Amino acid sequence: MEEKNELQNEEFDKSSENQGNTTEENGDQIKEMSSVDIGNRRGKIHCLSIIGEIEGHTILPPQSKTTKYEHVIPHLLKVEEDETIDGLLILLNTVGGDVEAGLAIAEMISSMKKPTVSIVLGGGHSIGVPLAVASKYSMIVPSATMTIHPIRTTGMVIGVPQSFQYFNKVQERLISFVVKNSNIKEKRLKELMMETSKIPNDMGTILFGEEAVECGLIDKVGGISDAIEKIYKLAKTKKSQKK
């Protein structure tokens, strides 16, 4: 009887120790990567936040909230190869940022085999648009906004035809990616991008939650509980297909 009690106590101690380690790991993930693992009997989901400005090859000022692509890309690779993770939930609140870096992250997300769901919580502006549609299913809260506008650049621009051809090619890459990964038509996307009456002293369109769904850019209006429910359903479907 005493031996049985000792074994039970050892198992409890190990369980408590494992729970403590998991809590500590999640704390480190939240601090370093703005990510966390959640789970229950239905499965394990990894939640990744893409917030602030997408930082590319140039380091942004320390007072700026940023998402660094050189951190996110290997992190996505780790999630894809982790057999204990059933799906990825992407939480978006970004003003945009570096086009090349943002598109690299978006391409990485779209090529993942694991179930992926994105939800725009505050804003999914500029390069945040491809990031929002890159997942297998996209959602947006009613009050969130998404800004669609032509490609922009900062710094010196050489005023030759080749420069404008390059900008046009980059813009076509973005348009092609968004059209491929959402239900919006290319013609409609270009119309929203080139609109001149929506934003003062600028070109483009700001879409609210339901407007983003109506034009086919985002799949559904919903909240965080809807996004979690959706990813559990996608994970369940994938598991049944494997069987």
Side-chain angles (χ1 to χ4, degrees), residues 1-19:
M1 187 70 176
E2 289 180 3
E3 289 181 3
K4 185 177 179 181
N5 288 336
E6 286 177 6
L7 287 171
Q8 287 177 341
N9 288 334
E10 284 179 12
E11 288 176 2
F12 178 78
D13 290 339
K14 286 179 181 178
S15 175
S16 300
E17 186 179 342
N18 289 335
Q19 286 178 358

Side-chain angles (χ1 to χ4, degrees), residues 53-242:
E53 190 170 351
I54 309 301
E55 186 178 89
H57 303 300
T58 303
I59 297 174
L60 294 170
Q63 66 268 24
S64 299
K65 290 284 186 182
T66 62
T67 294
K68 301 178 185 295
Y69 84 104
E70 72 270 24
H71 293 172
V72 175
I73 288 177
H75 193 71
L76 290 172
L77 180 61
K78 179 184 176 183
V79 171
E80 175 74 347
E81 289 299 301
D82 191 335
E83 294 181 353
T84 66
I85 295 175
D86 299 304
L88 173 66
L89 177 61
I90 302 148
L91 311 175
L92 277 165
N93 186 15
T94 176
V95 295
D98 188 279
V99 173
E100 294 286 347
L103 193 56
I105 297 171
E107 288 281 11
M108 191 84 174
I109 294 168
S110 70
S111 63
M112 293 176 73
K113 291 183 179 179
K114 278 211 170 115
T116 53
V117 173
S118 64
I119 179 166
V120 182
L121 295 170
H125 306 294
S126 191
I127 196 62
V129 174
L131 287 167
V133 304
S135 59
K136 291 177 175 60
Y137 196 84
S138 58
M139 301 184 75
I140 186 170
V141 297
S143 62
T145 55
M146 303 182 76
T147 304
I148 302 171
H149 60 70
I151 194 76
R152 293 170 179 158
T153 186
T154 56
M156 184 179 69
V157 176
I158 301 174
V160 294
Q162 290 89 335
S163 294
F164 298 102
Q165 288 169 10
Y166 170 73
F167 293 147
N168 189 57
K169 283 184 178 180
V170 175
Q171 187 160 292
E172 287 300 321
R173 284 171 60 200
L174 292 173
I175 290 171
S176 176
F177 182 87
V178 173
V179 170
K180 180 182 176 182
N181 290 278
S182 69
N183 296 314
I184 195 169
K185 302 296 183 185
E186 183 176 340
K187 181 181 177 182
R188 180 58 178 150
L189 181 59
K190 287 182 176 180
E191 287 173 353
L192 294 171
M193 190 176 283
M194 300 300 176
E195 178 64 57
T196 57
S197 63
K198 301 292 184 183
I199 306 176
N201 303 319
D202 202 349
M203 294 178 71
T205 306
I206 298 175
L207 299 172
F208 285 89
E210 295 205 2
E211 292 174 323
V213 174
E214 286 171 5
C215 72
L217 192 62
I218 300 295
D219 292 317
K220 184 182 177 182
V221 173
I224 190 68
S225 60
D226 300 307
I228 291 172
E229 184 65 24
K230 181 63 180 180
I231 200 164
Y232 275 130
K233 285 182 179 178
L234 290 175
K236 184 179 179 182
T237 301
K238 188 171 179 62
K239 284 179 182 178
S240 63
Q241 287 173 348
K242 283 185 178 180

